[in-house]
């Protein structure tokens, strides 16, 4: 087998600071159930899976088999544990550049050795009915390659954000998915999280009147200067593609609109560390309704993790807004905006599994990832041109 991809996230240094930030930013806040849990979002125990000694379930009721492509920190610490909580999904295989890591995962998770694949052998999955979905968790610039390989093997694909590093790549991924008759979705976990769903409802139903202004941002101080996130050929971009996309997504799903004009600026306070990717970007977007969004992202700032929506008669928002847990909502009228915590990754994988079982499209299908990349490319263009641009 080939040498492991140096970009596979099995070096803790490449993801620890970002993962720890998202995991602990809301630590200690806790959540209290003050409203009924939204249907379909609770991460459930796998009680409905096949039980030894009982007749196996029919194929359509069988939990959907996921193969994780990329076995770094996110797969290890978030996705694999989440699969143990899902109702409709299960860990069926892994794809890795490291034979030793594949063997270790197979032993730890009870994965058949025949369901362990190398990146270069993904085409071999075509004859494996045990694997239904490939969850692509490799560095951004490899999403395109691994998605195409999975789709051409006849597997549905769930892709970590950003979907890819360019509009062109996204369009090809969508096209190949359609050609092969498989579903593509982007792992926008917060579109399945109860606090965010409630904020979408508040905005769409205009509980505080028309949305006039949105403020959103996510930033953290990145660690190891040698990690893949700081290499353009692997990351495709810096803070904007990695965490700024959360703020962009929030503005889009809160308004339910696509921006029509934007302007952006970038600053670098450490041109050596951030020589290949963006460090700090601020941008403003105007939407067809007249709403204006102001957003910020950075790889060199701590403490930004929020959004707030200002309507005609009040405001609502979240802080922390984008972490893996401990999310907290607020409203200007002091009414509660608090729900029981769910596992975001379990919720998104259960939803995608149901999309497959029920033959319907995901609300975060590939087109949703494409829309984000269209805006991201225009943000970078605005920075290059030093002026506002239209979409």
């Amino acid at each position: 087998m080939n040498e492991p991809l140096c970009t596979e996230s099995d070096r803790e240094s490449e993801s620890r600071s970002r993962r720890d930030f998202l995991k602990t930013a809301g630590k200690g806040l806790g959540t209290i159930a003050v409203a009924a849990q939204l249907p379909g979002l609770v991460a459930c125990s796998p009680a409905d899976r096949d039980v030894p000694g009982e007749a196996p379930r029919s194929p359509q009721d069988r939990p959907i088999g996921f193969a994780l492509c990329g076995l770094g920190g996110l797969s290890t610490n978030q996705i694999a544990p989440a699969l143990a909580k899902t109702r409709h999904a299960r860990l069926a295989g892994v794809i890795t550049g490291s034979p030793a890591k594949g063997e270790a995962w197979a032993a730890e998770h009870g994965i058949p050795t025949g369901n362990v694949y190398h990146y270069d052998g993904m085409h071999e999955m075509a004859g494996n009915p045990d694997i239904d979905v490939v969850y692509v968790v490799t560095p951004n610039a490899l999403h395109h390659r691994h998605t195409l390989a999975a789709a051409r093997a006849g597997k549905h694909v769930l892709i970590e954000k950003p979907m890819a590093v360019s509009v062109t790549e996204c369009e090809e991924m969508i096209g190949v998915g359609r050609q092969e008759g498989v579903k593509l979705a982007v792992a926008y976990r917060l579109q399945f999280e109860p606090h965010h769903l409630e904020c979408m409802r508040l905005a769409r139903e205009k509980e505080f009147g028309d949305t006039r202004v949105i403020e959103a941002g996510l930033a953290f101080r990145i660690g190891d200067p040698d990690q893949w996130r700081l290499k353009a050929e692997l990351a495709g971009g810096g803070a904007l593609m990695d965490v700024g996309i959360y703020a962009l997504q929030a503005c889009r799903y809160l308004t339910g609109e696509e921006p029509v004009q934007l302007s952006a600026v970038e600053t670098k306070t450490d041109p050596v560390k951030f020589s290949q990717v963006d460090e700090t970007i601020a941008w403003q977007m105007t939407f067809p309704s007249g709403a204006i969004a102001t957003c910020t992202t950075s790889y060199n700032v701590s403490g930004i993790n929020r959004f707030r929506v200002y309507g005609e008669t009040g405001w609502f928002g979240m802080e922390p807004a984008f972490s893996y847990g401990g999310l907290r909502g607020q409203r200007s009228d002091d009414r509660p905006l608090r729900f029981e915590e769910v596992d975001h990754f379990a919720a998104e994988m259960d939803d995608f599994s149901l999309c497959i079982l029920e033959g319907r499209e995901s609300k975060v299908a590939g087109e949703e990832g494409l829309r984000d990349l269209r805006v991201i490319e225009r943000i970078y263009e605005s920075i290059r041109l030093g002026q506002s641009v239209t979409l």
Side-chain angles (χ1 to χ4, degrees), residues 22-31 193 195 305 318-330 338-339 341-342 344:
L22 286 171
K23 187 173 182 180
T24 64
K27 192 173 182 181
L29 291 173
T31 53
E193 196 283 324
H195 297 80
N305 185 352
M318 295 183 61
E319 187 171 7
F322 306 113
S323 305
Y324 295 148
L327 305 187
R328 186 170 182 174
Q330 308 90 23
R338 192 74 66 89
F339 295 89
E341 195 161 303
V342 302
H344 306 172

Side-chain angles (χ1 to χ4, degrees), residues 12 65-66 84 101 105 137 156 159 170 200 206 214 219 224-225 229 237 241 256 263 275 278 304 306 315-316 331 386:
E12 278 301 303
F66 278 69
K101 178 166 282 193
W105 271 69
V137 202
H156 305 289
I159 314 152
C170 291
M200 291 181 216
K206 301 184 179 182
I214 301 175
D224 181 9
R229 285 185 175 83
M241 282 218 180
S263 61
S275 61
D278 44 283
I304 304 175
R306 60 177 174 75
W315 59 265
F316 60 92
R331 298 168 49 128

Side-chain angles (χ1 to χ4, degrees), residues 52-53 64 73 85 95-96 109 209-210 219 224 261 281 292 337 357:
I64 295 296
K85 305 173 187 176
I95 305 157
T96 175
H109 297 281
D210 290 334
D224 181 9
Q261 187 171 22
I281 290 179
I292 293 177
L337 206 172
L357 293 169

Side-chain angles (χ1 to χ4, degrees), residues 1 3-5 8 10 71 96-103 118-119:
M1 287 189 176
E3 287 296 315
L5 286 173
E8 181 173 357
D10 56 326
L71 303 180
T96 175
S98 167
K101 178 166 282 193
E103 291 175 6
H118 189 275
Y119 294 125

Side-chain angles (χ1 to χ4, degrees), residues 91-348:
L91 179 59
V94 294
I95 305 157
T96 175
S98 167
K101 178 166 282 193
E103 291 175 6
W105 271 69
E108 180 180 354
H109 297 281
I111 299 170
T113 56
N115 288 4
V116 178
Y117 295 89
H118 189 275
Y119 294 125
D120 295 336
M122 291 176 67
H123 60 281
E124 298 171 2
M125 290 187 296
N128 188 343
D130 200 33
I131 295 174
D132 304 295
V133 176
V134 172
Y135 191 157
V136 176
V137 202
T138 47
N140 305 340
L142 303 180
H143 290 182
H144 173 259
R145 180 198 312 175
H146 293 148
T147 295
L148 296 189
R152 286 170 176 155
K155 306 304 177 183
H156 305 289
V157 190
L158 182 62
I159 314 152
E160 266 303 314
K161 56 85 205 152
M163 180 177 176
V165 298
S166 71
V167 166
T168 300
E169 287 188 349
C170 291
E171 290 175 337
E172 184 178 6
M173 292 156 74
I174 292 169
V176 170
R178 288 174 179 162
Q179 178 182 327
E180 300 296 335
V182 300
K183 296 184 183 299
L184 269 61
V186 185
Y188 289 125
R189 57 187 171 83
L190 295 173
Q191 291 220 32
F192 304 95
E193 196 283 324
H195 297 80
H196 283 256
L197 289 171
E198 173 65 2
C199 287
M200 291 181 216
R201 186 195 69 78
L202 292 173
R204 304 293 181 83
E205 296 183 7
K206 301 184 179 182
E207 196 157 316
F208 293 92
D210 290 334
T211 295
R212 298 303 190 198
V213 174
I214 301 175
E215 297 173 348
L218 182 59
F220 75 106
R221 296 196 69 186
I222 201 165
D224 181 9
D226 295 322
Q227 64 180 282
W228 68 263
R229 285 185 175 83
L230 299 178
K231 302 180 187 302
E233 72 274 14
L234 297 175
L240 177 61
M241 282 218 180
D242 187 14
V243 292
I245 193 171
Y246 283 104
L248 170 58
Q249 259 276 300
C251 294
R252 290 184 51 249
Y253 58 62
L254 288 165
T255 61
E257 299 178 328
E258 300 301 320
V260 293
Q261 187 171 22
L262 65 82
S263 61
V265 294
E266 177 192 1
T267 62
K268 287 184 195 271
T269 60
D270 190 339
V272 175
K273 186 172 185 177
F274 302 105
S275 61
Q276 298 186 37
V277 300
D278 44 283
E279 174 192 330
T280 301
I281 290 179
W283 73 99
Q284 186 176 82
M285 299 180 289
T286 304
F287 292 87
S289 63
I292 293 177
T294 301
C295 303
T296 308
T297 190
S298 179
Y299 266 164
N300 208 17
V301 174
S302 296
I304 304 175
N305 185 352
R306 60 177 174 75
F307 71 76
R308 182 170 286 191
V309 180
Y310 295 89
E312 298 168 294
T313 62
W315 59 265
F316 60 92
M318 295 183 61
E319 187 171 7
F322 306 113
S323 305
Y324 295 148
L327 305 187
R328 186 170 182 174
Q330 308 90 23
R331 298 168 49 128
S332 58
D333 58 8
D334 293 327
R335 291 177 60 187
L337 206 172
R338 192 74 66 89
F339 295 89
E340 287 185 356
E341 195 161 303
V342 302
D343 188 306
H344 306 172
F345 295 91
E348 72 180 6

Side-chain angles (χ1 to χ4, degrees), residues 258-264 284-286 374-375 377-379 381-382 385 387-391:
E258 300 301 320
V260 293
Q261 187 171 22
L262 65 82
S263 61
Q284 186 176 82
M285 299 180 289
T286 304
R374 282 177 176 151
V375 179
E377 285 193 350
R378 297 296 272 169
I379 290 172
E381 182 180 6
S382 176
L385 296 175
Q387 64 185 40
S388 64
V389 297
T390 57
L391 291 88

